[in-house]
Amino acid sequence: MTNRICVILSLTLFLCAVVPAATISYNTSYTGISIAHSPVVVGSPLQKFDSALGTLISVRLTLASITYAGSLDWDNELDVVTDVTLEIGAEVTVSTIGPMSVTTTVASKTDSKTGVLGDINGVFDVVPDYAGDDWFGITGNTTSDSRYDENNLAAVLTAFTAVGTEYFDAYLGSVLKKTVSTTGGFGMEGYTPGVTDGTITVTYTYDPIPEPATVAMLGLGCIGMF
């Protein structure tokens, strides 16, 4: 009976000494980044994992974005009546070390108009007026999206690990997604850029280095089992 009690006590001490995985996160925010025809890219620093905390198990990169509406206009320059469909949206992407990247797709807005008249001036406009019955325009949605990428490959974990405090760059890119479709007209396009705000977060999951008291408990457990 005494031996059984000792074994149970030892196993209890041993199990109590097992340290569960822990997480730590760092983030950076951005505001007012323009969404244009060509990608707009900005860099933000985020902290690497400090190896003094323990052994890195996985890294997660999260992008939470909010996009505020831009507008898309179309002005018919042909002397024909046409139907037109406009679509406006955006993509916001963050990329970092190696293969780590996340893309949020902001919900597109689509609208159509039938019977858009031909050019009311009767000639090709050097500067479209985006007005009158030969014009159609839409304002995009204001939407949000959040996505993540997680990786546990050894090479990636090594690249995200440092001794002490070090940083890496998270590159944010935003680009316009649009479509103009007509049944016969031809026209000029006008676009007013929207903007995007959001947060980039890196989360590290790791096996922590046991505290001295935990190590002592582990030693007691092993002695008891012996």
mmCIF file of all heavy atoms in Angstrom, residues 10-64:
data_model
loop_
_atom_site.group_PDB
_atom_site.id
_atom_site.type_symbol
_atom_site.label_atom_id
_atom_site.label_comp_id
_atom_site.label_asym_id
_atom_site.label_seq_id
_atom_site.Cartn_x
_atom_site.Cartn_y
_atom_site.Cartn_z
ATOM 1 N N SER A 10 4.171 10.362 -6.708
ATOM 2 C CA SER A 10 5.228 10.701 -7.653
ATOM 3 C C SER A 10 4.651 11.076 -9.011
ATOM 4 O O SER A 10 5.076 12.041 -9.649
ATOM 5 C CB SER A 10 6.191 9.518 -7.806
ATOM 6 O OG SER A 10 6.790 9.208 -6.566
ATOM 7 N N LEU A 11 3.661 10.297 -9.467
ATOM 8 C CA LEU A 11 3.026 10.600 -10.747
ATOM 9 C C LEU A 11 2.318 11.949 -10.699
ATOM 10 O O LEU A 11 2.346 12.708 -11.667
ATOM 11 C CB LEU A 11 2.030 9.496 -11.114
ATOM 12 C CG LEU A 11 2.638 8.169 -11.561
ATOM 13 C CD1 LEU A 11 1.542 7.121 -11.761
ATOM 14 C CD2 LEU A 11 3.438 8.338 -12.851
ATOM 15 N N THR A 12 1.711 12.245 -9.566
ATOM 16 C CA THR A 12 1.030 13.531 -9.410
ATOM 17 C C THR A 12 2.013 14.681 -9.501
ATOM 18 O O THR A 12 1.785 15.674 -10.192
ATOM 19 C CB THR A 12 0.298 13.588 -8.053
ATOM 20 O OG1 THR A 12 -0.640 12.518 -7.987
ATOM 21 C CG2 THR A 12 -0.438 14.914 -7.888
ATOM 22 N N LEU A 13 3.144 14.532 -8.794
ATOM 23 C CA LEU A 13 4.176 15.557 -8.865
ATOM 24 C C LEU A 13 4.704 15.724 -10.281
ATOM 25 O O LEU A 13 4.931 16.829 -10.759
ATOM 26 C CB LEU A 13 5.316 15.209 -7.906
ATOM 27 C CG LEU A 13 5.016 15.343 -6.405
ATOM 28 C CD1 LEU A 13 6.156 14.735 -5.606
ATOM 29 C CD2 LEU A 13 4.800 16.798 -6.039
ATOM 30 N N PHE A 14 4.886 14.602 -10.982
ATOM 31 C CA PHE A 14 5.406 14.633 -12.353
ATOM 32 C C PHE A 14 4.443 15.343 -13.289
ATOM 33 O O PHE A 14 4.830 16.190 -14.093
ATOM 34 C CB PHE A 14 5.682 13.211 -12.832
ATOM 35 C CG PHE A 14 6.211 13.161 -14.246
ATOM 36 C CD1 PHE A 14 7.539 13.465 -14.509
ATOM 37 C CD2 PHE A 14 5.368 12.826 -15.298
ATOM 38 C CE1 PHE A 14 8.022 13.423 -15.797
ATOM 39 C CE2 PHE A 14 5.863 12.795 -16.590
ATOM 40 C CZ PHE A 14 7.195 13.093 -16.842
ATOM 41 N N LEU A 15 3.150 14.998 -13.184
ATOM 42 C CA LEU A 15 2.157 15.611 -14.064
ATOM 43 C C LEU A 15 2.009 17.098 -13.782
ATOM 44 O O LEU A 15 1.777 17.897 -14.685
ATOM 45 C CB LEU A 15 0.806 14.896 -13.905
ATOM 46 C CG LEU A 15 0.762 13.460 -14.437
ATOM 47 C CD1 LEU A 15 -0.576 12.821 -14.089
ATOM 48 C CD2 LEU A 15 0.996 13.429 -15.946
ATOM 49 N N CYS A 16 2.128 17.464 -12.502
ATOM 50 C CA CYS A 16 2.034 18.875 -12.141
ATOM 51 C C CYS A 16 3.203 19.666 -12.717
ATOM 52 O O CYS A 16 3.124 20.869 -12.937
ATOM 53 C CB CYS A 16 2.004 19.051 -10.625
ATOM 54 S SG CYS A 16 0.449 18.513 -9.881
ATOM 55 N N ALA A 17 4.315 18.974 -12.942
ATOM 56 C CA ALA A 17 5.500 19.655 -13.440
ATOM 57 C C ALA A 17 5.471 19.849 -14.950
ATOM 58 O O ALA A 17 6.291 20.581 -15.494
ATOM 59 C CB ALA A 17 6.748 18.865 -13.058
ATOM 60 N N VAL A 18 4.561 19.192 -15.658
ATOM 61 C CA VAL A 18 4.462 19.349 -17.108
ATOM 62 C C VAL A 18 3.900 20.731 -17.415
ATOM 63 O O VAL A 18 2.812 21.087 -16.964
ATOM 64 C CB VAL A 18 3.562 18.253 -17.710
ATOM 65 C CG1 VAL A 18 3.388 18.506 -19.206
ATOM 66 C CG2 VAL A 18 4.172 16.884 -17.476
ATOM 67 N N VAL A 19 4.640 21.529 -18.151
ATOM 68 C CA VAL A 19 4.250 22.904 -18.441
ATOM 69 C C VAL A 19 3.497 22.951 -19.769
ATOM 70 O O VAL A 19 4.022 22.518 -20.791
ATOM 71 C CB VAL A 19 5.492 23.815 -18.518
ATOM 72 C CG1 VAL A 19 5.079 25.250 -18.802
ATOM 73 C CG2 VAL A 19 6.281 23.717 -17.221
ATOM 74 N N PRO A 20 2.268 23.455 -19.785
ATOM 75 C CA PRO A 20 1.508 23.530 -21.026
ATOM 76 C C PRO A 20 2.081 24.582 -21.966
ATOM 77 O O PRO A 20 2.815 25.482 -21.535
ATOM 78 C CB PRO A 20 0.102 23.912 -20.558
ATOM 79 C CG PRO A 20 0.339 24.653 -19.279
ATOM 80 C CD PRO A 20 1.517 23.981 -18.640
ATOM 81 N N ALA A 21 1.719 24.469 -23.251
ATOM 82 C CA ALA A 21 2.165 25.451 -24.240
ATOM 83 C C ALA A 21 1.580 26.817 -23.916
ATOM 84 O O ALA A 21 0.490 26.935 -23.342
ATOM 85 C CB ALA A 21 1.746 25.011 -25.636
ATOM 86 N N ALA A 22 2.317 27.851 -24.253
ATOM 87 C CA ALA A 22 1.884 29.223 -23.994
ATOM 88 C C ALA A 22 1.859 30.008 -25.303
ATOM 89 O O ALA A 22 2.386 29.561 -26.329
ATOM 90 C CB ALA A 22 2.816 29.895 -22.989
ATOM 91 N N THR A 23 1.230 31.183 -25.297
ATOM 92 C CA THR A 23 1.194 32.049 -26.474
ATOM 93 C C THR A 23 1.557 33.474 -26.073
ATOM 94 O O THR A 23 1.335 33.899 -24.933
ATOM 95 C CB THR A 23 -0.199 32.067 -27.134
ATOM 96 O OG1 THR A 23 -1.164 32.570 -26.192
ATOM 97 C CG2 THR A 23 -0.600 30.682 -27.595
ATOM 98 N N ILE A 24 2.107 34.194 -27.033
ATOM 99 C CA ILE A 24 2.396 35.613 -26.861
ATOM 100 C C ILE A 24 2.169 36.296 -28.202
ATOM 101 O O ILE A 24 2.474 35.720 -29.255
ATOM 102 C CB ILE A 24 3.831 35.842 -26.345
ATOM 103 C CG1 ILE A 24 4.039 37.302 -25.982
ATOM 104 C CG2 ILE A 24 4.878 35.361 -27.345
ATOM 105 C CD1 ILE A 24 5.333 37.565 -25.235
ATOM 106 N N SER A 25 1.587 37.491 -28.188
ATOM 107 C CA SER A 25 1.226 38.186 -29.429
ATOM 108 C C SER A 25 1.790 39.600 -29.452
ATOM 109 O O SER A 25 1.939 40.252 -28.414
ATOM 110 C CB SER A 25 -0.299 38.248 -29.590
ATOM 111 O OG SER A 25 -0.859 36.970 -29.700
ATOM 112 N N TYR A 26 2.075 40.067 -30.668
ATOM 113 C CA TYR A 26 2.470 41.452 -30.913
ATOM 114 C C TYR A 26 1.656 41.955 -32.101
ATOM 115 O O TYR A 26 1.333 41.192 -33.011
ATOM 116 C CB TYR A 26 3.966 41.553 -31.227
ATOM 117 C CG TYR A 26 4.858 40.942 -30.175
ATOM 118 C CD1 TYR A 26 5.375 39.657 -30.336
ATOM 119 C CD2 TYR A 26 5.179 41.647 -29.018
ATOM 120 C CE1 TYR A 26 6.188 39.093 -29.371
ATOM 121 C CE2 TYR A 26 5.992 41.086 -28.041
ATOM 122 C CZ TYR A 26 6.491 39.812 -28.227
ATOM 123 O OH TYR A 26 7.295 39.254 -27.268
ATOM 124 N N ASN A 27 1.306 43.225 -32.109
ATOM 125 C CA ASN A 27 0.522 43.741 -33.232
ATOM 126 C C ASN A 27 0.928 45.164 -33.591
ATOM 127 O O ASN A 27 1.570 45.868 -32.807
ATOM 128 C CB ASN A 27 -0.981 43.666 -32.931
ATOM 129 C CG ASN A 27 -1.384 44.532 -31.758
ATOM 130 O OD1 ASN A 27 -1.335 45.753 -31.835
ATOM 131 N ND2 ASN A 27 -1.773 43.902 -30.659
ATOM 132 N N THR A 28 0.543 45.557 -34.792
ATOM 133 C CA THR A 28 0.742 46.919 -35.268
ATOM 134 C C THR A 28 -0.491 47.317 -36.063
ATOM 135 O O THR A 28 -1.110 46.475 -36.723
ATOM 136 C CB THR A 28 2.011 47.031 -36.135
ATOM 137 O OG1 THR A 28 2.194 48.397 -36.534
ATOM 138 C CG2 THR A 28 1.906 46.176 -37.388
ATOM 139 N N SER A 29 -0.878 48.577 -35.982
ATOM 140 C CA SER A 29 -2.073 49.055 -36.669
ATOM 141 C C SER A 29 -1.706 50.036 -37.777
ATOM 142 O O SER A 29 -0.641 50.671 -37.738
ATOM 143 C CB SER A 29 -3.027 49.738 -35.671
ATOM 144 O OG SER A 29 -3.453 48.819 -34.683
ATOM 145 N N TYR A 30 -2.582 50.165 -38.757
ATOM 146 C CA TYR A 30 -2.392 51.112 -39.849
ATOM 147 C C TYR A 30 -3.717 51.817 -40.117
ATOM 148 O O TYR A 30 -4.793 51.273 -39.861
ATOM 149 C CB TYR A 30 -1.882 50.404 -41.109
ATOM 150 C CG TYR A 30 -2.835 49.362 -41.655
ATOM 151 C CD1 TYR A 30 -3.789 49.701 -42.607
ATOM 152 C CD2 TYR A 30 -2.795 48.042 -41.214
ATOM 153 C CE1 TYR A 30 -4.684 48.744 -43.101
ATOM 154 C CE2 TYR A 30 -3.667 47.091 -41.700
ATOM 155 C CZ TYR A 30 -4.606 47.447 -42.647
ATOM 156 O OH TYR A 30 -5.480 46.513 -43.122
ATOM 157 N N THR A 31 -3.651 53.031 -40.621
ATOM 158 C CA THR A 31 -4.860 53.804 -40.907
ATOM 159 C C THR A 31 -4.682 54.589 -42.203
ATOM 160 O O THR A 31 -3.572 55.035 -42.532
ATOM 161 C CB THR A 31 -5.186 54.804 -39.777
ATOM 162 O OG1 THR A 31 -4.079 55.696 -39.586
ATOM 163 C CG2 THR A 31 -5.482 54.077 -38.473
ATOM 164 N N GLY A 32 -5.781 54.735 -42.909
ATOM 165 C CA GLY A 32 -5.813 55.627 -44.068
ATOM 166 C C GLY A 32 -4.925 55.232 -45.225
ATOM 167 O O GLY A 32 -4.457 56.105 -45.977
ATOM 168 N N ILE A 33 -4.675 53.933 -45.412
ATOM 169 C CA ILE A 33 -3.866 53.490 -46.552
ATOM 170 C C ILE A 33 -4.733 53.509 -47.807
ATOM 171 O O ILE A 33 -5.795 52.901 -47.857
ATOM 172 C CB ILE A 33 -3.308 52.081 -46.319
ATOM 173 C CG1 ILE A 33 -2.486 52.038 -45.031
ATOM 174 C CG2 ILE A 33 -2.467 51.642 -47.512
ATOM 175 C CD1 ILE A 33 -1.311 52.976 -45.018
ATOM 176 N N SER A 34 -4.272 54.210 -48.829
ATOM 177 C CA SER A 34 -5.057 54.379 -50.052
ATOM 178 C C SER A 34 -5.165 53.075 -50.833
ATOM 179 O O SER A 34 -4.225 52.273 -50.872
ATOM 180 C CB SER A 34 -4.408 55.447 -50.938
ATOM 181 O OG SER A 34 -5.111 55.589 -52.158
ATOM 182 N N ILE A 35 -6.330 52.873 -51.443
ATOM 183 C CA ILE A 35 -6.542 51.711 -52.316
ATOM 184 C C ILE A 35 -6.583 52.224 -53.750
ATOM 185 O O ILE A 35 -7.534 52.905 -54.153
ATOM 186 C CB ILE A 35 -7.852 50.988 -51.972
ATOM 187 C CG1 ILE A 35 -7.797 50.478 -50.534
ATOM 188 C CG2 ILE A 35 -8.106 49.837 -52.934
ATOM 189 C CD1 ILE A 35 -9.095 49.904 -50.042
ATOM 190 N N ALA A 36 -5.553 51.941 -54.518
ATOM 191 C CA ALA A 36 -5.404 52.507 -55.850
ATOM 192 C C ALA A 36 -5.303 51.410 -56.902
ATOM 193 O O ALA A 36 -5.340 50.226 -56.596
ATOM 194 C CB ALA A 36 -4.170 53.406 -55.887
ATOM 195 N N HIS A 37 -5.173 51.834 -58.170
ATOM 196 C CA HIS A 37 -5.062 50.877 -59.273
ATOM 197 C C HIS A 37 -3.805 50.023 -59.133
ATOM 198 O O HIS A 37 -3.815 48.832 -59.420
ATOM 199 C CB HIS A 37 -5.031 51.625 -60.617
ATOM 200 C CG HIS A 37 -6.322 52.293 -60.950
ATOM 201 N ND1 HIS A 37 -7.343 51.645 -61.606
ATOM 202 C CD2 HIS A 37 -6.779 53.545 -60.717
ATOM 203 C CE1 HIS A 37 -8.366 52.472 -61.773
ATOM 204 N NE2 HIS A 37 -8.049 53.632 -61.244
ATOM 205 N N SER A 38 -2.707 50.654 -58.724
ATOM 206 C CA SER A 38 -1.456 49.933 -58.488
ATOM 207 C C SER A 38 -1.313 49.684 -56.998
ATOM 208 O O SER A 38 -1.743 50.504 -56.181
ATOM 209 C CB SER A 38 -0.268 50.752 -58.995
ATOM 210 O OG SER A 38 -0.393 51.000 -60.385
ATOM 211 N N PRO A 39 -0.696 48.555 -56.623
ATOM 212 C CA PRO A 39 -0.576 48.238 -55.194
ATOM 213 C C PRO A 39 0.145 49.329 -54.410
ATOM 214 O O PRO A 39 1.157 49.859 -54.844
ATOM 215 C CB PRO A 39 0.228 46.935 -55.202
ATOM 216 C CG PRO A 39 -0.009 46.350 -56.547
ATOM 217 C CD PRO A 39 -0.137 47.515 -57.486
ATOM 218 N N VAL A 40 -0.410 49.670 -53.271
ATOM 219 C CA VAL A 40 0.233 50.585 -52.333
ATOM 220 C C VAL A 40 0.822 49.732 -51.214
ATOM 221 O O VAL A 40 0.103 48.996 -50.556
ATOM 222 C CB VAL A 40 -0.776 51.601 -51.764
ATOM 223 C CG1 VAL A 40 -0.100 52.495 -50.728
ATOM 224 C CG2 VAL A 40 -1.376 52.449 -52.883
ATOM 225 N N VAL A 41 2.144 49.805 -51.020
ATOM 226 C CA VAL A 41 2.813 48.922 -50.066
ATOM 227 C C VAL A 41 3.476 49.741 -48.972
ATOM 228 O O VAL A 41 4.185 50.710 -49.252
ATOM 229 C CB VAL A 41 3.866 48.033 -50.765
ATOM 230 C CG1 VAL A 41 4.552 47.129 -49.757
ATOM 231 C CG2 VAL A 41 3.213 47.202 -51.866
ATOM 232 N N VAL A 42 3.236 49.367 -47.738
ATOM 233 C CA VAL A 42 3.889 50.014 -46.596
ATOM 234 C C VAL A 42 4.435 48.936 -45.668
ATOM 235 O O VAL A 42 3.919 47.825 -45.619
ATOM 236 C CB VAL A 42 2.912 50.922 -45.818
ATOM 237 C CG1 VAL A 42 2.452 52.081 -46.666
ATOM 238 C CG2 VAL A 42 1.712 50.127 -45.325
ATOM 239 N N GLY A 43 5.492 49.268 -44.943
ATOM 240 C CA GLY A 43 6.109 48.306 -44.029
ATOM 241 C C GLY A 43 5.860 48.676 -42.580
ATOM 242 O O GLY A 43 5.858 49.857 -42.224
ATOM 243 N N SER A 44 5.638 47.663 -41.745
ATOM 244 C CA SER A 44 5.437 47.873 -40.313
ATOM 245 C C SER A 44 6.274 46.853 -39.547
ATOM 246 O O SER A 44 6.311 45.684 -39.923
ATOM 247 C CB SER A 44 3.965 47.711 -39.936
ATOM 248 O OG SER A 44 3.164 48.669 -40.588
ATOM 249 N N PRO A 45 6.944 47.271 -38.461
ATOM 250 C CA PRO A 45 7.770 46.333 -37.701
ATOM 251 C C PRO A 45 6.951 45.534 -36.684
ATOM 252 O O PRO A 45 6.046 46.065 -36.038
ATOM 253 C CB PRO A 45 8.766 47.246 -36.989
ATOM 254 C CG PRO A 45 8.007 48.530 -36.807
ATOM 255 C CD PRO A 45 7.099 48.658 -37.989
ATOM 256 N N LEU A 46 7.265 44.253 -36.557
ATOM 257 C CA LEU A 46 6.680 43.385 -35.542
ATOM 258 C C LEU A 46 7.813 42.620 -34.865
ATOM 259 O O LEU A 46 8.838 42.326 -35.493
ATOM 260 C CB LEU A 46 5.682 42.402 -36.155
ATOM 261 C CG LEU A 46 4.307 42.961 -36.521
ATOM 262 C CD1 LEU A 46 3.535 41.954 -37.358
ATOM 263 C CD2 LEU A 46 3.518 43.313 -35.272
ATOM 264 N N GLN A 47 7.626 42.270 -33.605
ATOM 265 C CA GLN A 47 8.704 41.649 -32.837
ATOM 266 C C GLN A 47 8.808 40.159 -33.110
ATOM 267 O O GLN A 47 7.802 39.460 -33.211
ATOM 268 C CB GLN A 47 8.485 41.880 -31.338
ATOM 269 C CG GLN A 47 9.662 41.437 -30.479
ATOM 270 C CD GLN A 47 9.517 41.897 -29.035
ATOM 271 O OE1 GLN A 47 8.972 42.957 -28.773
ATOM 272 N NE2 GLN A 47 10.023 41.097 -28.120
ATOM 273 N N LYS A 48 10.044 39.696 -33.215
ATOM 274 C CA LYS A 48 10.299 38.271 -33.334
ATOM 275 C C LYS A 48 10.131 37.590 -31.974
ATOM 276 O O LYS A 48 10.033 38.249 -30.944
ATOM 277 C CB LYS A 48 11.721 38.009 -33.860
ATOM 278 C CG LYS A 48 11.932 38.391 -35.311
ATOM 279 C CD LYS A 48 13.313 37.965 -35.787
ATOM 280 C CE LYS A 48 13.508 38.238 -37.262
ATOM 281 N NZ LYS A 48 14.838 37.772 -37.743
ATOM 282 N N PHE A 49 10.121 36.266 -32.001
ATOM 283 C CA PHE A 49 9.998 35.497 -30.766
ATOM 284 C C PHE A 49 11.341 35.456 -30.052
ATOM 285 O O PHE A 49 12.373 35.131 -30.656
ATOM 286 C CB PHE A 49 9.526 34.078 -31.082
ATOM 287 C CG PHE A 49 9.477 33.173 -29.883
ATOM 288 C CD1 PHE A 49 8.476 33.319 -28.933
ATOM 289 C CD2 PHE A 49 10.442 32.197 -29.690
ATOM 290 C CE1 PHE A 49 8.434 32.512 -27.815
ATOM 291 C CE2 PHE A 49 10.409 31.373 -28.587
ATOM 292 C CZ PHE A 49 9.399 31.529 -27.644
ATOM 293 N N ASP A 50 11.332 35.774 -28.765
ATOM 294 C CA ASP A 50 12.547 35.771 -27.952
ATOM 295 C C ASP A 50 12.792 34.346 -27.444
ATOM 296 O O ASP A 50 11.989 33.801 -26.684
ATOM 297 C CB ASP A 50 12.392 36.732 -26.782
ATOM 298 C CG ASP A 50 13.661 36.845 -25.944
ATOM 299 O OD1 ASP A 50 14.638 36.134 -26.227
ATOM 300 O OD2 ASP A 50 13.653 37.661 -24.994
ATOM 301 N N SER A 51 13.913 33.756 -27.854
ATOM 302 C CA SER A 51 14.208 32.365 -27.495
ATOM 303 C C SER A 51 14.376 32.173 -25.985
ATOM 304 O O SER A 51 14.330 31.046 -25.497
ATOM 305 C CB SER A 51 15.473 31.890 -28.215
ATOM 306 O OG SER A 51 16.584 32.708 -27.873
ATOM 307 N N ALA A 52 14.546 33.273 -25.244
ATOM 308 C CA ALA A 52 14.663 33.154 -23.787
ATOM 309 C C ALA A 52 13.345 32.706 -23.154
ATOM 310 O O ALA A 52 13.335 32.243 -22.007
ATOM 311 C CB ALA A 52 15.096 34.490 -23.192
ATOM 312 N N LEU A 53 12.253 32.838 -23.902
ATOM 313 C CA LEU A 53 10.946 32.429 -23.379
ATOM 314 C C LEU A 53 10.725 30.927 -23.469
ATOM 315 O O LEU A 53 9.924 30.363 -22.733
ATOM 316 C CB LEU A 53 9.829 33.147 -24.143
ATOM 317 C CG LEU A 53 9.782 34.673 -24.013
ATOM 318 C CD1 LEU A 53 8.696 35.244 -24.917
ATOM 319 C CD2 LEU A 53 9.543 35.074 -22.563
ATOM 320 N N GLY A 54 11.404 30.266 -24.403
ATOM 321 C CA GLY A 54 11.212 28.832 -24.577
ATOM 322 C C GLY A 54 11.463 28.415 -26.017
ATOM 323 O O GLY A 54 12.227 29.064 -26.737
ATOM 324 N N THR A 55 10.789 27.344 -26.457
ATOM 325 C CA THR A 55 10.962 26.805 -27.804
ATOM 326 C C THR A 55 9.716 27.097 -28.630
ATOM 327 O O THR A 55 8.605 26.700 -28.261
ATOM 328 C CB THR A 55 11.199 25.285 -27.758
ATOM 329 O OG1 THR A 55 12.356 25.023 -26.951
ATOM 330 C CG2 THR A 55 11.417 24.721 -29.162
ATOM 331 N N LEU A 56 9.897 27.754 -29.759
ATOM 332 C CA LEU A 56 8.787 28.130 -30.613
ATOM 333 C C LEU A 56 8.184 26.901 -31.295
ATOM 334 O O LEU A 56 8.907 26.067 -31.854
ATOM 335 C CB LEU A 56 9.251 29.143 -31.667
ATOM 336 C CG LEU A 56 8.184 29.766 -32.555
ATOM 337 C CD1 LEU A 56 7.137 30.498 -31.725
ATOM 338 C CD2 LEU A 56 8.841 30.722 -33.559
ATOM 339 N N ILE A 57 6.842 26.790 -31.244
ATOM 340 C CA ILE A 57 6.132 25.659 -31.838
ATOM 341 C C ILE A 57 5.469 26.047 -33.160
ATOM 342 O O ILE A 57 5.530 25.324 -34.149
ATOM 343 C CB ILE A 57 5.053 25.124 -30.877
ATOM 344 C CG1 ILE A 57 5.678 24.630 -29.579
ATOM 345 C CG2 ILE A 57 4.253 23.999 -31.533
ATOM 346 C CD1 ILE A 57 4.653 24.243 -28.534
ATOM 347 N N SER A 58 4.831 27.220 -33.188
ATOM 348 C CA SER A 58 4.162 27.674 -34.407
ATOM 349 C C SER A 58 4.042 29.191 -34.376
ATOM 350 O O SER A 58 4.110 29.826 -33.324
ATOM 351 C CB SER A 58 2.770 27.044 -34.552
ATOM 352 O OG SER A 58 1.891 27.523 -33.546
ATOM 353 N N VAL A 59 3.856 29.771 -35.567
ATOM 354 C CA VAL A 59 3.663 31.210 -35.703
ATOM 355 C C VAL A 59 2.405 31.452 -36.523
ATOM 356 O O VAL A 59 2.165 30.773 -37.521
ATOM 357 C CB VAL A 59 4.890 31.886 -36.355
ATOM 358 C CG1 VAL A 59 5.203 31.271 -37.708
ATOM 359 C CG2 VAL A 59 4.668 33.383 -36.493
ATOM 360 N N ARG A 60 1.582 32.382 -36.075
ATOM 361 C CA ARG A 60 0.345 32.730 -36.788
ATOM 362 C C ARG A 60 0.362 34.216 -37.133
ATOM 363 O O ARG A 60 0.622 35.066 -36.281
ATOM 364 C CB ARG A 60 -0.885 32.417 -35.947
ATOM 365 C CG ARG A 60 -2.192 32.896 -36.579
ATOM 366 C CD ARG A 60 -3.411 32.585 -35.744
ATOM 367 N NE ARG A 60 -3.712 31.158 -35.740
ATOM 368 C CZ ARG A 60 -4.888 30.656 -35.367
ATOM 369 N NH1 ARG A 60 -5.868 31.467 -34.963
ATOM 370 N NH2 ARG A 60 -5.095 29.362 -35.393
ATOM 371 N N LEU A 61 0.079 34.518 -38.398
ATOM 372 C CA LEU A 61 -0.004 35.888 -38.883
ATOM 373 C C LEU A 61 -1.464 36.190 -39.186
ATOM 374 O O LEU A 61 -2.103 35.484 -39.968
ATOM 375 C CB LEU A 61 0.854 36.060 -40.134
ATOM 376 C CG LEU A 61 0.911 37.460 -40.738
ATOM 377 C CD1 LEU A 61 1.683 38.398 -39.810
ATOM 378 C CD2 LEU A 61 1.562 37.417 -42.121
ATOM 379 N N THR A 62 -2.007 37.242 -38.572
ATOM 380 C CA THR A 62 -3.418 37.594 -38.746
ATOM 381 C C THR A 62 -3.543 39.011 -39.291
ATOM 382 O O THR A 62 -2.860 39.931 -38.827
ATOM 383 C CB THR A 62 -4.178 37.509 -37.408
ATOM 384 O OG1 THR A 62 -4.030 36.199 -36.862
ATOM 385 C CG2 THR A 62 -5.658 37.803 -37.600
ATOM 386 N N LEU A 63 -4.421 39.164 -40.280
ATOM 387 C CA LEU A 63 -4.722 40.476 -40.841
ATOM 388 C C LEU A 63 -6.209 40.751 -40.668
ATOM 389 O O LEU A 63 -7.051 39.991 -41.143
ATOM 390 C CB LEU A 63 -4.353 40.538 -42.329
ATOM 391 C CG LEU A 63 -4.789 41.795 -43.087
ATOM 392 C CD1 LEU A 63 -4.143 43.034 -42.487
ATOM 393 C CD2 LEU A 63 -4.459 41.675 -44.570
ATOM 394 N N ALA A 64 -6.529 41.816 -39.965
ATOM 395 C CA ALA A 64 -7.915 42.271 -39.817
ATOM 396 C C ALA A 64 -8.020 43.624 -40.502
ATOM 397 O O ALA A 64 -7.352 44.583 -40.085
ATOM 398 C CB ALA A 64 -8.293 42.380 -38.344
#
